[in-house]
Amino acid sequence: LEEKCLPEDVIAFFDAYGNATHTALQFDVVGEDVLVTGAGPIGIMAAAICKRNGARKVIITDLNEYRLELARSMGLSAVNVGTHELGEVMRESHMVEGFDVALEMSGSEAALHQILSHMRNGGKIALLGFFKGDARVDVNEVILKGVTVQGVYGRKMYETWYKMVAMIEGGLDLMPLVTHRYHYTQFEQGFAAMNSGRSGKVILDWRDEA
């Protein structure tokens, strides 16, 4: 496995990229309509992976407009569900039955409800986002729609790793996700950028200053 040809900044967040890859590849997305809830860096990566791997339509949702703009900069269809109705976006995208696959990346109970109400019968849901408390859903809706729900944790070593490298070598560009770079001595600024909600991936440079 030769990683010397890969961007060092991307290698720096391979752990998060691994989570995104493992989630995005839980189900076959070729020709499918995919909903991704949560436009954090991992959610954006997962959406980009689905698009790269042949999804018909990928829509990512969030309330954070900065993150949604970051997703749009990567060529993704991003919807602020605080200001736009997802159902209307679906109709504009010629979706009749609902989403075929959904990836829950936010840990938001509201997002989980949104997924269930917009899934087609027989749809598939992968859950990566951690919830702060109990997430309550209408289990009857899961049963009546025949929905498959898959919990996801971590990634597969080394299977996921090989796929990650192959996708980047094949043209998957994750560099737009890197929004801030600091020297490691400026780590407090790096954490502040992360906590602000107005950042993608934050890179710390550990090389000695000249």
Side-chain angles (χ1 to χ4, degrees):
L1 179 63
E2 296 183 3
E3 295 178 354
K4 61 183 179 181
C5 61
L6 304 181
E8 289 186 355
D9 283 353
V10 173
I11 293 174
F13 57 85
F14 250 42
D15 185 62
Y17 176 33
N19 297 147
T21 301
H22 190 34
T23 307
L25 300 183
Q26 284 294 311
F27 304 114
D28 183 6
V29 298
V30 176
E32 305 284 50
D33 293 324
V34 180
L35 172 63
V36 180
T37 53
I42 295 179
I44 294 175
M45 282 188 275
I49 291 166
C50 290
K51 182 177 179 180
R52 179 73 188 178
N53 283 280
R56 187 184 82 95
K57 186 73 175 181
V58 180
I59 294 177
I60 186 167
T61 64
D62 207 295
L63 297 171
N64 184 323
E65 193 59 35
Y66 179 95
R67 294 274 174 81
L68 292 169
E69 279 299 321
L70 188 56
R72 294 180 190 116
S73 75
M74 295 181 63
L76 297 168
S77 296
V79 177
N80 189 324
V81 289
T83 58
H84 292 80
E85 169 57 44
L86 182 58
E88 181 60 32
V89 174
M90 293 169 62
R91 286 187 288 273
E92 292 173 357
S93 300
H94 307 292
M95 295 184 199
V96 178
E97 298 180 358
F99 289 96
D100 304 292
V101 176
L103 312 179
E104 206 308 287
M105 317 296 279
S106 68
S108 164
E109 183 176 339
L112 187 55
H113 292 162
Q114 181 184 73
I115 286 174
L116 284 173
S117 62
H118 291 90
M119 291 298 290
R120 71 165 179 80
N121 290 348
K124 299 175 175 63
I125 303 170
L127 306 176
L128 181 75
F130 266 51
F131 296 85
K132 292 181 180 179
D134 291 339
R136 300 181 180 276
V137 298
D138 184 353
V139 177
N140 287 334
E141 190 171 11
V142 175
I143 295 169
L144 292 173
K145 284 190 173 182
V147 173
T148 298
V149 180
Q150 175 67 56
V152 183
Y153 184 75
R155 68 271 185 211
K156 292 182 179 179
M157 298 292 290
Y158 289 88
E159 180 182 345
T160 305
W161 209 266
Y162 291 135
K163 292 177 180 178
M164 293 156 59
V165 172
M167 285 189 289
I168 292 176
E169 290 178 339
L172 179 62
D173 183 13
L174 300 179
M175 287 299 292
L177 278 174
V178 180
T179 58
H180 295 73
R181 292 180 176 83
Y182 298 99
H183 190 258
Y184 75 91
T185 57
Q186 300 172 296
F187 67 92
E188 290 181 338
Q189 291 174 251
F191 278 106
M194 290 170 55
N195 292 329
S196 72
R198 296 183 59 82
S199 69
K201 299 305 292 183
V202 178
I203 301 295
L204 297 182
D205 190 339
W206 289 80
R207 291 172 294 188
D208 291 333
E209 294 180 299

